[in-house]
Amino acid sequence: MSNVYILLDRSGSMESQWKEALGSINGYVEELPAKTKIMLATFDSNGYDVIRSTTAKEWKSVTREDAHPRGGTPLFDSAMRMMQRIDEDKPDRAVFVVMTDGEENSSQKFRQAEVKAMADKLRSKDYEVIFLGANFDKVGDTAAAFGNAPNKWMNISTSNLGDTMRGLSATTTAYMTTGAAMNFSDVDKAKAVSGTNSGSK
């Protein structure tokens, strides 16, 4: 059993690239194997909502009608909630993808040390923990707070979100089928942020 868990920041600052963010997630899921189980949750300081829990085959495109930007960024609380779900599900392989355009600023329950410990637990099971910055050049600092190595995060320009996420589908599929690690090279990162087509290897 292979599952993908996507945590999408819907804080107010995402407004300027919301269409591109949603489109990139739709494109990512559409390229995954049909039987892949997908959970998509959005979060902000006003709530955490699971808006899709289905297979890639049954996926319905996410639109602004499902969620729209508002509020702040309780990243630690929201990430912990999804990571706890992953830990409970115990899939054979899991990919946890976080897409955000900002740093933690409004969590009430969990601290950085606690979320890092949970992320470490997931990594100990050979699950992938991936951070994607939506036009967010400090995403590396945010990913590092979760214990992510430099090859497990990438900043993506708004104009390149779609192409990069479609490229990510291929490495996600490779991980699911063979266990190959999902790593971003320096070249991948340069292409993603420059607005030219990219993937990950």
Side-chain angles (χ1 to χ4, degrees), residues 12 40 60 106 134 143 151 161 178:
L40 169 63
K60 293 183 179 179
S106 55
N151 60 359
L161 277 167
T178 70

Side-chain angles (χ1 to χ4, degrees), residues 28-164:
Y28 169 66
V29 174
E30 288 163 4
E31 297 292 327
L32 295 176
K35 294 182 180 180
T36 307
K37 292 185 177 181
I38 315 288
M39 175 178 284
L40 169 63
T42 59
F43 74 96
D44 61 68
S45 54
N46 296 313
Y48 171 101
D49 299 291
V50 175
I51 61 175
R52 292 289 185 276
S53 184
T54 184
T55 63
K57 182 178 180 179
E58 299 297 325
W59 179 266
K60 293 183 179 179
S61 292
V62 180
T63 71
R64 191 180 179 87
E65 293 181 359
D66 294 296
H68 60 274
R70 62 185 189 179
T73 311
L75 180 59
F76 291 163
D77 287 355
S78 304
M80 179 64 88
R81 187 165 176 173
M82 182 162 271
M83 289 191 293
Q84 288 173 332
R85 174 60 185 268
I86 298 169
D87 190 44
E88 291 168 4
D89 286 348
K90 295 179 172 59
D92 296 326
R93 289 182 175 141
V95 179
F96 175 37
V97 178
V98 180
M99 182 182 288
T100 182
D101 77 330
E103 299 173 281
E104 154 65 40
N105 64 24
S106 55
S107 288
Q108 300 294 317
K109 187 174 182 180
F110 294 103
R111 297 181 181 276
Q112 184 267 334
E114 294 169 295
V115 296
K116 180 182 180 297
M118 179 58 79
D120 285 342
K121 183 177 182 180
L122 298 187
R123 284 188 288 263
S124 74
K125 299 180 179 182
D126 292 326
Y127 294 165
E128 290 285 352
V129 180
I130 302 294
F131 272 75
L132 302 175
N135 199 30
F136 174 37
D137 59 9
K138 292 185 179 180
V139 65
D141 294 338
T142 297
F146 283 70
N148 272 43
N151 60 359
K152 298 296 183 180
W153 61 263
M154 182 162 53
N155 181 27
I156 310 170
S157 66
T158 302
S159 63
N160 205 35
L161 277 167
D163 285 342
T164 303

